[in-house]
């Protein structure tokens, strides 16, 4: 086993293990980093992703995402996942706060942020706001695949609006 001297080297090794599907090794490295350098924001981000997606431990994931944002607020990758988490947990106040911060950070995936806001509004049955957010996502999309996805969201919202309209029938007595 190689001896890793710096935190950055351990971090890169952990990311490499993660890319090769060696989740236990990667988790071990990220925890080691946090134990030696508790203020290493990117390790908190990676641990947040582990607890969010692998372990479904949302409280611990939220702690690590929040810690990452506190330590390195300009790190763009954390916001998409942190926003997904608070949307899942229906943490209304945090949704707005995190989205606002995310949209101000250079490099943050604005299309994903708008999509998450659209999904959140859709869950709240606020179809008008959801459609607006999906339109913003489509305008921010940089790939045709993503753009098509956001257009599908808009079509779904339009169909929901039509389905929710009340029907008025008239009875014509002339025959």
């Amino acid at each position: 086993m190689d001896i890793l001297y710096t935190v950055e080297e351990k971090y890169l090794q952990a990311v490499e293990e993660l890319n090769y599907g060696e989740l236990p090794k990667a988790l071990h490295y990220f925890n080691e980093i946090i134990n030696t350098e508790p203020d290493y924001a990117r390790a908190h981000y990676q641990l947040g992703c582990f607890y969010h997606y692998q372990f479904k431990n949302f409280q611990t994931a939220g702690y690590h995402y929040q810690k990452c944002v506190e330590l390195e607020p300009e790190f763009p990758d954390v916001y998409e996942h942190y926003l997904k988490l608070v949307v899942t947990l229906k943490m209304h106040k945090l949704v707005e706060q995190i989205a606002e911060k995310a949209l101000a950070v250079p490099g943050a995936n604005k299309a994903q942020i708008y999509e998450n806001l659209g999904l959140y509004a859709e869950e709240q049955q606020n179809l008008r706001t959801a459609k607006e957010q999906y339109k913003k996502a489509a305008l921010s999309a940089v790939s045709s695949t993503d753009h098509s996805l956001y257009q599908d969201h808009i079509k779904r919202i339009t169909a929901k609006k039509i389905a929710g309209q009340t029907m008025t029938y008239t009875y014509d007595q002339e025959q």
Side-chain angles (χ1 to χ4, degrees):
M1 181 175 177
D2 295 332
I3 297 175
L4 303 174
Y5 294 103
T6 67
V7 175
E8 287 81 13
E9 289 173 331
K10 281 185 183 179
Y11 181 79
L12 291 174
Q13 181 65 39
V15 170
E16 189 173 317
E17 297 294 348
L18 193 59
N19 290 337
Y20 285 118
E22 296 290 337
L23 300 180
K25 284 182 182 178
L27 182 61
H28 175 74
Y29 280 126
F30 290 129
N31 278 318
E32 245 182 48
I33 292 168
I34 294 299
N35 288 335
T36 58
E37 289 285 331
D39 291 342
Y40 199 77
R42 292 168 192 232
H44 281 288
Y45 160 70
Q46 294 289 352
L47 285 171
C49 288
F50 260 103
Y51 284 102
H52 185 179
Y53 300 110
Q54 302 300 321
F55 303 131
K56 306 290 188 221
N57 183 337
F58 299 138
Q59 184 175 2
T60 304
Y63 166 78
H64 286 292
Y65 288 147
Q66 180 181 8
K67 193 74 171 166
C68 179
V69 168
E70 288 171 6
L71 295 169
E72 194 175 341
E74 295 299 311
F75 181 57
D77 296 359
V78 70
Y79 290 100
E80 177 186 339
H81 302 285
Y82 194 13
L83 186 58
K84 270 185 192 174
L85 177 69
V86 296
V87 164
T88 299
L89 298 176
K90 296 177 177 44
M91 300 175 86
H92 307 294
K93 290 180 183 177
L94 270 179
V95 169
E96 295 298 322
Q97 291 173 1
I98 293 167
E100 186 179 320
K101 283 182 185 178
L103 292 170
V105 172
N109 188 338
K110 291 181 181 11
Q112 287 289 321
I113 302 303
Y114 288 128
E115 180 187 26
N116 283 321
L117 290 172
L119 291 170
Y120 179 69
E122 190 174 351
E123 285 179 4
Q124 301 297 314
Q125 298 298 313
N126 188 342
L127 301 181
R128 185 179 52 80
T129 301
K131 190 172 184 177
E132 290 170 11
Q133 296 299 336
Y134 292 140
K135 284 181 180 179
K136 289 178 184 177
L139 290 172
S140 301
V142 292
S143 78
S144 58
T145 305
D146 288 345
H147 188 265
S148 295
L149 172 67
Y150 306 138
Q151 291 299 325
D152 289 344
H153 287 327
I154 292 168
K155 288 176 189 173
R156 183 181 67 247
I157 292 297
T158 303
K160 283 183 177 184
K161 282 183 173 180
I162 292 169
Q165 291 176 348
T166 57
M167 297 298 247
T168 306
Y169 296 97
T170 58
Y171 179 70
D172 189 9
Q173 289 185 323
E174 294 180 27
Q175 290 184 339

